């Protein structure tokens, strides 16, 4: 379905609270001018409330802004002086407190100032959109809808669009296009029911876990140990998630369900437990007040004991026997073992699964258009690896349905509401043709809006047709090179965490050979995060243990030769990144013709964390770029780049990666991870079609020489004497200084790339032979965190 183009130049956000300010921040991240409104301040500048909120954005962690400079794209405003600015806004998002009377009062105030085509959306988490629409002037109603961002808006993929009966269909399509491509969101069209899709089911799942924890006598810290990553869910699991969201916010969502769902069979569950009410009354609201269900005393983490009303040390984990059951790979066998176990923790987990399955089946016809929307909403809004319908289907749809029915019949479930008849008539809810809609009694295909043509491989659900990553052109243990017949060869790494070892090096070289002979361009892309964690240190272990330094040096030489081939190949090379882009992965990007980066690319030359230095051209590339940017003073251009390597500085966004120098200004930032491959291919083809020629090899560039190295070492001595770095840190830092400044030569000496590469390789090997570095590598491989020694 084609949609008319909707260009958003300017957006107003009404309400400078946590959500409003962070929505404005993400608009600014996406190059959309944002005006942040709030009430006029009683003292100081009239826009003081919005000003204060914008300043606060710069200090928050995780950062709402892709870089602090983005705050400059947000204009502070107030309702007394600036309503005239609304007429130039393409979209207005209202994000004030969840009070219908306040919202309707504001709509009346702003309506006369809106442009003729301005879309007006309310960022409510649960109020009725139709009731709000009824309170708006008639002229606004076709352009009115709900738009529900999840917190924090920069990082959470989900946005729910909630139409009202008067919402214009074309307007909704335009808004979906803007949210998906410009802001990078996964959009679900929700029905106008209390708390919409994600919060209705996600909060129910949390209430079910709280109820079952009490029923089976499971401590809160054990619940969180069992219901986090072990279940494919976020580290915050259940109770910690409530703390992060804010206990008052969580209680508010629960209260909405209590007030607006009187006929829901589970209505008795929709209430905040007494212990939760007491915490809120005491001002213990979770992470924002630094005390909630959890708190810290010094270095000790404490958790609430609800029965005693006191805190105890949060030091207990799930039973090992139950954790073993959770490791069973077959989903059906895993659920069966949990269901059959007499262990209270296993019974708790089965009850949590069963109660959520029961709820989503019972309510599918009224809560969501189809099962796909439920699963994607929970994945994108609550961070689950797999949606609840997917989990059920993967475990064996009919068998699990019989287990749930048996528990209902035996009175083991929270309510005795029967499963709907459709549950027993199907083999599952997700099929290659579409996902089941209970209200339509049919399979519903995915959206045909043209923006989704850019998502070559959208999020896949269990039961859907498996993605076909083109025709394989070449494959070895390290990489698969494939094509979709568009003239681009795509290389994906097959190694764990996409680490780069000998097989990957061989695979990339072979792929370049093939691409130069038969293709227009080459794209390096990973279907799943990370892009790459860097060199595969474990592949060096056999040679290391045998003291075979010649083999390790050859591996390093091969890695350097590969990155140089990327730089000077006869076809354009594009690296498409998301997630971690560390070490050797970063060096691949430094040598590509173009990087197309998802905003959430976290980039760094992090080798010093294991006592090493960049050995595949990273130090060389920083030295070269500093020389090219220098205006007579190479050392001045080099200092910040040196510090980025020496401190293992990691860019917290693709934009920061540009500022640090890992990416170039010409590199492209993409907001929707599912559009990454499409844009990368377009870049490769554009370079090819514009007459791409490989860059000429650099004959010589100026280095800072021994004087530059001496200046850096002077700073390192001060840091060591002040106790900020260890002797080994000093040793590594001094070695990097020698390499990046060109070695033992005069300042201004011209060197070529191979000169620095040779210094890199020699420095890397000398560190690898160092006992302190060996300790760091061993510690990292065993514990997955760095050692300071």
């Amino acid at each position: 379905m084609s949609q008319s183009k909707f260009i958003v130049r300017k957006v107003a956000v009404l309400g400078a609270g946590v959500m409003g300010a962070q929505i404005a921040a993400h608009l600014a991240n996406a190059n959309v001018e944002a005006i942040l409104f709030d009430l006029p301040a009683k003292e100081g500048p009239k826009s003081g409330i919005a000003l204060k909120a914008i300043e606060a954005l710069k200090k928050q962690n995780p950062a709402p802004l892709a870089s602090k400079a983005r705050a400059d794209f947000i204009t502070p405003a107030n309702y007394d002086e600036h309503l005239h600015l609304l007429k130039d806004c393409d979209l207005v998002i209202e994000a004030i407190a969840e009070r219908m009377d306040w919202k309707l009062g504001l709509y009346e105030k702003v309506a006369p100032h809106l442009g003729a085509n301005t879309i007006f959306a309310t960022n409510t988490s649960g109020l009725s959109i139709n009731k709000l629409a009824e309170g708006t002037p008639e002229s606004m109603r076709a352009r009115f809808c709900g738009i529900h961002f999840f917190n924090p808006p920069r990082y959470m993929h989900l946005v729910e669009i909630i139409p009202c009966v008067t919402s214009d269909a074309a307007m909704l399509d335009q808004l979906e296009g803007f949210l998906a491509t410009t802001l990078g969101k996964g959009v679900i069209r929700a029905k106008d029911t209390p708390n919409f899709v994600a919060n209705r089911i996600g909060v129910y799942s949390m209430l079910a876990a709280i109820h079952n924890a009490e029923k089976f006598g499971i401590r809160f810290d054990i619940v969180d140990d069992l219901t986090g990553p072990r279940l494919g869910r976020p580290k915050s699991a259940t109770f910690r998630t409530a703390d992060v969201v804010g206990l008052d916010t969580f209680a508010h969502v629960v209260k909405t369900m209590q007030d607006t769902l009187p006929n829901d069979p589970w209505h008795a569950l929709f209430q905040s437990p007494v212990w939760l009410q007491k915490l809120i009354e005491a001002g213990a609201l979770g992470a924002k007040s630094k005390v909630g269900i959890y708190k810290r005393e010094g270095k000790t983490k404490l958790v609430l004991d609800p029965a005693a009303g006191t805190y105890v040390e949060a030091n207990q984990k799930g039973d090992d026997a139950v954790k073993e059951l959770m490791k069973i790979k077959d989903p059906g066998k895993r659920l069966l073992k949990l269901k059959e176990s007499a262990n209270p923790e296993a019974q708790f987990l089965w009850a949590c699964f069963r109660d959520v399955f029961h709820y989503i089946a019972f309510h599918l016809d009224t809560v969501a258009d189809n099962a796909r929307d439920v699963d994607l909403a929970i994945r994108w809004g609550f961070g689950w690896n797999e949606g609840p319908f997917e989990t059920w289907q993967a475990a064996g749809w009919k068998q699990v349905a019989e287990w749930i029915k048996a528990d209902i019949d035996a009175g083991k479930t929270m309510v005795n509401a029967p499963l709907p008849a459709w549950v027993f008539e199907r083999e599952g809810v997700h099929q290659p043709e579409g996902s089941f809609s209970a209200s339509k009694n049919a399979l519903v295909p995915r959206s045909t809006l043209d923006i989704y043509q850019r998502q070559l491989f959208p999020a896949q659900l269990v039961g859907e047709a498996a993605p076909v990553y083109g025709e394989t052109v070449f494959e070895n243990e390290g990489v698969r090179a494939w094509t979709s017949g568009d003239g681009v060869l795509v290389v994906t790494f097959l190694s764990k965490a996409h680490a780069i070892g000998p097989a990957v090096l061989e695979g990339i070289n072979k792929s370049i050979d093939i691409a130069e002979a038969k293709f227009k361009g080459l794209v390096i892309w990973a279907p799943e995060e990370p892009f790459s964690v860097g060199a595969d240190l474990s592949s060096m272990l056999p040679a290391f243990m045998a003291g075979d330094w010649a083999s390790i040096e050859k591996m390093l030489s091969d890695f350097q030769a590969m990155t140089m081939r990327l730089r000077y190949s006869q076809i354009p090379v594009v690296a498409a990144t998301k997630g971690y882009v560390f070490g050797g992965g970063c060096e691949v990007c430094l040598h590509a013709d173009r990087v197309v980066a998802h905003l959430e690319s976290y980039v760094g030359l992090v080798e010093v964390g294991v006592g090493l230095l960049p050995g595949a051209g990273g130090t060389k590339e920083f030295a070269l770029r500093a020389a090219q940017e220098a205006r007579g003073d190479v050392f001045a251009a080099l200092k910040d780049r040196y510090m980025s390597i020496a401190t293992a500085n990691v860019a917290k966004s693709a934009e920061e990666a540009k500022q640090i120098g890992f990416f170039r200004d010409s590199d492209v930032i993409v907001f929707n991870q599912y559009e990454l491959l499409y844009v990368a291919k377009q870049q490769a083809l554009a370079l090819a079609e514009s007459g791409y020629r490989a860059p000429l090899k650099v004959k010589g560039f100026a280095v800072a020489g021994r004087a530059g190295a001496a200046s850096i070492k002077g700073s390192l001595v001060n840091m060591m004497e002040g106790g900020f770095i260890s002797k080994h840190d000093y040793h590594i830092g001094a070695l990097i200084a020698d390499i990046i400044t060109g070695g033992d030569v005069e300042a201004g000496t011209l060197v070529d790339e191979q000169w620095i590469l040779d210094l890199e390789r020699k420095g890397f090997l000398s560190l690898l032979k160092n006992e302190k570095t060996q300790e760091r590598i061993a510690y990292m491989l065993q514990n997955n965190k760095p050692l300071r020694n």
Side-chain angles (χ1 to χ4, degrees), residues 383-626:
W384 295 16
N385 290 353
E386 204 173 70
F389 276 123
E390 287 183 276
T391 302
W392 180 350
Q393 184 163 331
W397 182 266
K398 289 208 158 176
Q399 179 61 76
V400 173
E402 291 301 332
W403 293 341
I404 300 167
K405 182 180 184 299
D407 275 10
I408 295 169
D409 293 344
K412 292 182 179 178
T413 52
M414 286 191 230
V415 300
N416 62 4
L419 286 171
W422 65 260
V423 169
F424 301 98
E425 295 163 3
R426 308 195 56 77
E427 297 292 338
V429 287
H430 302 306
Q431 307 294 334
E433 312 87 79
S435 291
F436 182 67
S437 167
S439 55
K440 296 170 185 163
N441 193 29
L443 291 173
V444 177
R446 287 188 179 243
S447 170
T448 55
L449 288 177
D450 55 12
I451 50 158
Y452 293 110
Q453 303 309 305
R454 297 167 60 88
Q455 298 190 13
L456 303 181
F457 299 100
Q460 287 300 124
L461 298 171
V462 167
E464 288 188 317
V468 180
Y469 292 115
E471 175 196 341
T472 300
V473 177
F474 165 77
E475 187 170 355
N476 69 356
E477 281 182 23
V479 311
R480 177 173 176 256
W482 54 277
T483 182
S484 299
D486 52 8
V488 178
L489 186 67
V490 181
V491 175
T492 55
F493 297 172
L494 303 177
S495 51
K496 184 179 178 184
H498 306 138
I500 302 169
V504 172
L505 296 177
E506 179 200 323
I508 292 175
N509 279 317
K510 179 70 175 171
S511 299
I512 294 171
D513 290 339
I514 295 167
E516 286 181 335
K518 298 180 179 177
F519 291 88
K520 293 179 179 178
L522 182 132
V523 169
I524 301 171
W525 170 77
E528 302 292 336
E529 293 180 21
F531 175 75
S532 173
V533 294
D536 182 5
L537 293 175
S538 58
S539 68
M540 293 183 185
L541 276 179
F544 176 72
M545 299 301 284
D548 185 357
W549 302 110
S551 289
I552 293 174
E553 182 162 16
K554 182 182 183 305
M555 220 179 290
L556 268 175
S557 291
D558 289 347
F559 204 152
Q560 291 181 337
M562 181 275 287
T563 57
M564 291 295 277
R565 277 208 75 191
L566 292 175
R567 163 57 45 79
Y568 294 111
S569 66
Q570 296 304 307
I571 37 92
V573 174
V574 176
T577 69
K578 62 182 173 184
Y580 295 148
V581 187
F582 287 167
C586 179
E587 288 169 308
V588 165
C589 294
L590 285 167
H591 290 83
D593 293 292
R594 179 90 16 109
V595 176
V596 173
H598 182 234
L599 178 69
E600 303 310 331
S601 292
Y602 308 110
V603 192
L605 293 167
V606 296
E607 288 84 352
V608 297
V610 287
L612 292 169
L613 52 80
T619 321
K620 176 272 298 179
E621 195 61 21
F622 267 21
L624 172 59
R625 291 187 186 188

Side-chain angles (χ1 to χ4, degrees), residues 222 225-226 317-326 343 345:
I222 293 176
D225 183 50
L226 294 173
K317 305 282 185 189
D319 190 302
D320 287 343
V322 174
K323 289 191 280 196
E324 284 305 310
L325 297 182
M326 293 169 78
N343 188 305
E345 292 176 19

